[in-house]
Amino acid sequence: MAAPIENKVKSATTATFLVSLLIAVLNQVVADNALLGPLPSWLQPVIIAVAPAAVTFLSGWSAAHTPRVSSES
């Protein structure tokens, strides 16, 4: 029997999806790179790439582990 998906994985995946969706929506609403316009152009793609990864790390790190039942007899 496969092990259940841990809460840490669910939390990190959900947080990453929401942050990525927020970035995409803001980019559409504000249009192109106006959202990050004040930043240097070389830094904009770095921020877009690092933001979801940082949220994934932080949400996965802060979520509690899912207790596992030992299958040993």
Side-chain angles (χ1 to χ4, degrees):
M1 182 172 162
I5 298 173
E6 286 199 39
N7 290 335
K8 293 176 88 58
V9 175
K10 292 177 188 177
S11 173
T13 302
T14 302
T16 300
F17 171 75
L18 293 175
V19 169
S20 298
L21 182 63
L22 178 65
I23 290 172
V25 168
L26 287 175
N27 193 42
Q28 278 292 2
V29 169
V30 178
D32 294 343
N33 64 353
L35 177 64
L36 300 173
L39 298 174
S41 60
W42 64 268
L43 185 58
Q44 293 174 10
V46 173
I47 296 294
I48 291 170
V50 169
V55 170
T56 301
F57 173 79
L58 291 174
S59 61
W61 180 72
S62 63
H65 280 286
T66 302
R68 293 193 182 189
V69 178
S70 177
S71 61
E72 295 177 14
S73 298

